[in-house]
Amino acid sequence: MGVRGLYDRELNELKEDILSMGDQVVLAFSQALSFLETREVSRINTFITDDEKVNKSELAIHDKVTMMIARQQPVATDLRVAIAALKIASDMERIGDLAVDIGKAAKRLSEETKIEDIQDIREMATIAEEMLTSVFEAYKNRDLMQAQQVAVMDDKVDDLYSRFIKKLFTSTDLLGVEQTTQLAFVGRYVERIADYATNLAEWVVYETNGKHFDLN
Amino acid sequence: MIAEKAPKQMQEEVKAEEKIVYRAEQLNLWYGEDQALKNIDMDIQENEVTAIIGPSGCGKSTYIKTLNRMTEMIPIVRTSGRVYYRNENIFDKKYKVEELRTKVGMVFQKPNPFPKSIYENVVYGPKIHGIKDKKLLDEIVERSLKGAALWDEVKDRLKENAFGLSGGQQQRLCIARCLAVEPDVILMDEPTSALDPISTLKIEELVQELKENYSIVIVTHNMQQAGRISDKTAFFLNGEVVEYDNTDTMFSSPQDKRTEDYISGRFG
């Protein structure tokens, strides 16, 4: 074997690029969550501008895959690696945007919003973060079992989200319309990030065996 | 419910059976001591393009040459098993090879027109079959050349020598010559490997049109060509069919690692 050394290197680099973009969005998500507690406006503003880097990573992956299709004509597993890279990069870019949305909402949360008010969001976010870390491991190792476990974790996030929304709108300790809305938004953003992690898991399955599974 | 479905299912099975042009059963072939084909079981469907791919020496050319019994012209060749064309075993002693070759045309790697005019090349087969009527022969020439997408390029110089045509045109002339005897199946052994890219694409377009009326088996070294034009693809390796499936499946999710390695250019 080894007759397509350059091509094999390009395919490996593509997977490395995906994993490095994965690190970017995992970090962005974790920073966004920290802003829910610290709410430092100047740092949040820098964080929002930094999303441009994630967008650029997506475009770089897009260009690399386009060039690979044009010059190497991938088929079978190689083609699925290329297509999955495009889809995963696009889903990761959306995760980056949602992290920015969380940052923006953090700016709007007032001083009165207490740590206890975001406790449920924290719980959801911890699972969502685990899902992201786990799905990138599954991607790296083409691990179908791990990809499926990510989907199972999403069910927990969905349950927590329902519970959180119910609590938020039926609480006797009313937070005011603006605060309630912002918290509901943040809950929704975290829940969406978990959904995207599940999408990523579906692309891992596709890359590995060519099958489409709706894990959501 | 099951009782109602059963007859329909049976009809469908019969239909599928009718649509099989060729069926190979346990086909083995030896060149002297060397076994070139091993236990081939393979059906060729009507009005489909079946691509045969595989590295050099894998038996793909031998296989299609067996389909019109060209291999028996080689003295050291020995075969076993059965090959059915339209449900008749072509290895049967009573089977007439001339009839088979009327129904099954062949196009080779290098264009091989006769050293005659374009017109004479096309009418060669029909004349052998006893057609003498000039008007009818003219009709055959026009129909065959149109069928091979060559008519517009040569209609004003039918009397010129076929050697004056370009390689791509000569190959289409060979296809026209094949169509002139109204075959059922067209076998193509690397028909574009000696042609430039545009001529290659013209032949590929032509193959797509021809499958409306003919069943086509094409041996190709060009994987992308198999991907572009065929309905089914068979991967041969060391005389065996490693995998035979819909081309969509073969090029997106092949089952066998050897197929995957071959189509992605990692060996062969």
Side-chain angles (χ1 to χ4, degrees):
Chain A
M1 307 282 157
V3 284
R4 297 195 77 177
L6 172 68
Y7 177 44
D8 285 333
R9 273 203 301 284
E10 282 177 9
L11 282 164
N12 288 335
E13 274 170 26
L14 181 62
K15 291 208 77 161
E16 290 298 328
D17 290 350
I18 289 286
L19 290 168
S20 129
M21 187 177 169
D23 289 343
Q24 279 181 300
V25 295
V26 168
L27 180 66
F29 183 34
S30 128
Q31 281 180 323
L33 293 168
S34 73
F35 294 137
L36 290 175
E37 286 161 30
T38 60
R39 293 170 220 161
E40 295 162 273
V41 174
S42 67
R43 282 191 61 206
I44 295 176
N45 287 340
T46 316
F47 167 74
I48 291 170
T49 331
D50 276 357
D51 182 52
E52 191 54 32
K53 290 179 192 160
V54 174
N55 297 348
K56 278 188 179 151
S57 297
E58 189 211 357
L59 293 178
I61 288 168
H62 185 276
D63 289 348
K64 198 173 258 189
V65 171
T66 307
M67 211 42 89
M68 185 184 282
I69 290 172
R71 296 176 67 124
Q72 302 283 9
Q73 292 98 42
V75 292
T77 304
D78 302 340
L79 181 60
R80 297 201 305 273
V81 168
I83 299 300
L86 282 182
K87 304 298 278 186
I88 289 174
S90 147
D91 282 349
M92 287 196 295
E93 191 272 336
R94 290 294 301 132
I95 294 173
D97 288 347
L98 288 163
V100 166
D101 289 337
I102 294 172
K104 286 180 181 168
K107 282 206 289 186
R108 296 189 197 106
L109 288 175
S110 69
E111 290 300 320
E112 288 89 67
T113 309
K114 296 186 284 295
I115 299 289
E116 302 88 80
D117 298 327
I118 58 165
Q119 201 49 49
D120 288 341
I121 293 179
R122 265 276 168 217
E123 211 179 319
M124 283 165 63
T126 306
I127 303 174
E129 279 183 304
E130 265 180 60
M131 287 169 72
L132 285 177
T133 318
S134 192
V135 83
F136 290 122
E137 265 178 44
Y139 174 76
K140 192 176 173 184
N141 305 319
R142 289 208 178 120
D143 187 335
L144 286 176
M145 287 300 287
Q146 193 166 15
Q148 276 163 356
Q149 278 158 10
V150 170
V152 176
M153 289 161 88
D154 187 44
D155 293 342
K156 277 192 219 158
V157 176
D158 289 345
D159 289 345
L160 285 170
Y161 175 63
S162 308
R163 202 181 74 190
F164 166 68
I165 291 295
K166 203 181 255 175
K167 210 160 93 184
L168 190 65
F169 288 97
T170 54
S171 167
T172 47
D173 184 16
L174 289 174
L175 288 166
V177 175
E178 173 67 11
Q179 294 306 294
T180 307
T181 311
Q182 291 307 328
L183 285 176
F185 277 157
V186 174
R188 175 70 178 151
Y189 298 147
V190 174
E191 190 265 341
R192 286 300 295 145
I193 286 177
D195 283 346
Y196 277 112
T198 314
N199 274 7
L200 299 183
E202 287 170 0
W203 289 116
V204 171
V205 173
Y206 173 75
E207 187 196 277
T208 309
N209 64 14
K211 301 218 160 57
H212 292 291
F213 273 111
D214 188 1
L215 297 174
N216 252 317
Chain B
M1 285 298 279
I2 294 166
E4 280 172 27
K5 268 184 183 173
K8 199 183 163 196
Q9 242 169 27
M10 274 169 64
Q11 273 175 5
E12 277 167 8
E13 272 167 31
V14 170
K15 240 183 189 175
E17 199 73 13
E18 280 173 3
K19 283 188 169 179
I20 292 170
V21 184
Y22 268 107
R23 164 165 288 174
E25 284 178 357
Q26 291 295 296
L27 170 65
N28 288 283
L29 184 143
W30 292 263
Y31 291 109
E33 291 301 308
D34 298 325
Q35 188 165 5
L37 295 176
K38 296 170 191 166
N39 301 320
I40 308 286
D41 288 308
M42 213 175 127
D43 288 348
I44 301 292
Q45 300 284 330
E46 190 175 69
N47 297 116
E48 281 194 350
V49 178
T50 306
I52 315 289
I53 60 169
S56 296
C58 69
K60 54 191 190 303
S61 286
T62 301
Y63 165 73
I64 71 161
K65 281 176 185 153
T66 310
L67 296 183
N68 75 348
R69 281 179 50 183
M70 271 179 68
T71 45
E72 71 188 20
M73 293 188 285
I74 307 164
I76 55 168
V77 162
R78 192 160 52 86
T79 55
S80 75
R82 295 157 300 280
V83 173
Y84 295 95
Y85 165 67
R86 300 280 182 197
N87 296 321
E88 281 184 79
N89 186 1
I90 63 167
F91 292 154
D92 210 271
K93 277 183 186 145
K94 285 177 279 176
Y95 202 93
K96 287 186 180 151
V97 73
E98 301 78 17
E99 270 177 32
L100 178 68
R101 294 201 187 133
T102 309
K103 287 287 167 200
V104 182
M106 184 99 164
V107 177
F108 297 90
Q109 181 176 4
K110 275 178 113 181
N112 57 351
F114 301 130
K116 291 170 180 284
S117 70
I118 296 166
Y119 185 96
E120 284 303 321
N121 262 278
V122 181
V123 298
Y124 190 84
K127 275 185 172 173
I128 284 180
H129 286 95
I131 299 173
K132 285 178 188 143
D133 182 67
K134 173 79 170 74
K135 201 166 160 252
L136 183 56
L137 289 171
D138 286 351
E139 275 173 25
I140 290 172
V141 168
E142 182 170 345
R143 191 178 60 229
S144 307
L145 288 170
K146 277 184 174 166
L150 189 59
W151 175 251
D152 289 340
E153 291 164 55
V154 301
K155 63 184 175 195
D156 300 323
R157 47 177 175 146
L158 295 174
K159 300 292 171 198
E160 286 177 25
N161 194 296
F163 286 171
L165 298 173
S166 74
Q169 287 172 326
Q170 287 186 17
Q171 195 63 307
R172 278 180 282 147
L173 177 62
C174 293
I175 293 172
R177 189 174 64 189
C178 181
L179 299 182
V181 291
E182 297 184 349
D184 178 25
V185 181
I186 304 173
L187 306 175
M188 296 180 162
D189 193 357
E190 296 180 46
T192 63
S193 60
L195 303 183
D196 65 87
I198 299 295
S199 304
T200 297
L201 292 174
K202 278 187 186 166
I203 302 273
E204 289 183 9
E205 278 293 307
L206 179 58
V207 166
Q208 286 302 298
E209 285 167 27
L210 291 174
K211 78 165 186 177
E212 297 287 319
N213 301 309
Y214 307 92
S215 310
I216 297 168
V217 186
I218 179 167
V219 166
T220 177
H221 267 302
N222 182 334
M223 248 86 68
Q224 280 75 35
Q225 179 170 73
R228 281 194 294 267
I229 64 171
S230 68
D231 299 290
K232 290 206 173 65
T233 299
F235 171 51
F236 277 58
L237 185 66
N238 299 328
E240 287 175 87
V241 178
V242 170
E243 196 165 347
Y244 179 36
D245 208 331
N246 291 323
T247 301
D248 284 350
T249 309
M250 292 286 279
F251 281 82
S252 59
S253 315
Q255 300 302 302
D256 195 291
K257 184 160 188 312
R258 292 168 294 174
T259 313
E260 168 112 28
D261 285 342
Y262 183 71
I263 61 161
S264 61
R266 289 189 171 82
F267 82 86

